[in-house]
Amino acid sequence: MAMPYQCRNYAIWDTETWDLDTSKLEIVEIACVVLNGETLEPIEGGEFQSYMKPKDWNNFIKKAIEVNKITHDLLKEKGRDRKDVLLAFGTFLNQFKVKGIPFGGAPISCGKNQIAFDTPALDRICREEGLADKNGKNKFFDNKIAIDL
């Protein structure tokens, strides 16, 4: 019998930001690929990507824009409102929950620097947008487990 975490899907996700300080940075892009928890193969339709308009258009460091190439003009053209992106991301991930296992079967959060960078930034923005749980955490993943790659 497989353990509950082995049955879950894995959400490999990342953000692009305009700063490195998780207490104030703006997430300007979020992307995700979901892998089947049993086969570790990408799930058909399991890709998400969206540009996110910043709350504060002046909160950026020039070096970040030079590195990720996500400019003000790009965000004005292709960016979506923060809350809309977060709601869409939640809806996207919700379809990959595995029923009948503990913690609601939410996908396991995976990615580089998840624990120290991406997740704290996402949690803060979810709090600011009124989309956090009672502990101030995002509602997209089981917040008891994350995998840093």
Side-chain angles (χ1 to χ4, degrees):
M1 175 201 268
M3 297 298 292
Y5 292 121
Q6 293 171 311
C7 298
R8 291 206 192 161
N9 294 317
Y10 295 91
I12 315 295
W13 66 285
D14 191 27
T15 62
E16 293 298 331
T17 67
W18 275 359
D19 200 336
L20 296 175
D21 182 345
T22 59
S23 70
K24 67 176 186 169
L25 63 73
E26 294 286 354
I27 293 177
V28 292
E29 182 182 25
I30 190 164
C32 181
V33 174
V34 179
L35 304 181
N36 180 294
E38 293 179 15
T39 66
L40 299 181
E41 295 292 324
I43 296 175
E44 186 174 336
E47 296 178 8
F48 179 92
Q49 182 278 332
S50 185
Y51 293 109
M52 186 183 303
K53 290 181 182 175
K55 186 175 185 177
D56 179 356
W57 289 85
N58 295 313
N59 182 12
F60 68 92
I61 56 174
K62 201 177 225 181
K63 183 70 173 169
I65 293 174
E66 289 172 10
V67 170
N68 64 33
K69 309 290 188 232
I70 300 175
T71 63
H72 287 77
D73 289 340
L74 176 77
L75 292 176
K76 286 176 184 170
E77 179 185 339
K78 296 184 178 181
R80 296 167 55 196
D81 290 331
R82 289 185 346 159
K83 191 167 193 171
D84 291 344
V85 172
L86 294 173
L87 290 170
F89 189 51
T91 299
F92 164 77
L93 288 171
N94 200 37
Q95 66 185 320
F96 300 105
K97 285 184 174 182
V98 176
K99 294 179 173 56
I101 62 173
F103 308 110
I108 296 173
S109 172
C110 306
K112 186 174 180 184
N113 295 324
Q114 289 298 303
I115 295 169
F117 187 77
D118 291 289
T119 299
L122 182 63
D123 288 344
R124 180 184 56 78
I125 290 174
C126 284
R127 286 191 301 273
E128 290 175 3
E129 294 298 331
L131 298 173
D133 68 13
K134 65 181 180 179
N135 297 313
K137 305 291 185 184
N138 75 77
K139 298 178 185 179
F140 308 130
F141 307 104
D142 170 5
N143 285 298
K144 294 174 181 62
I145 185 169
I147 299 173
D148 260 342
L149 303 175

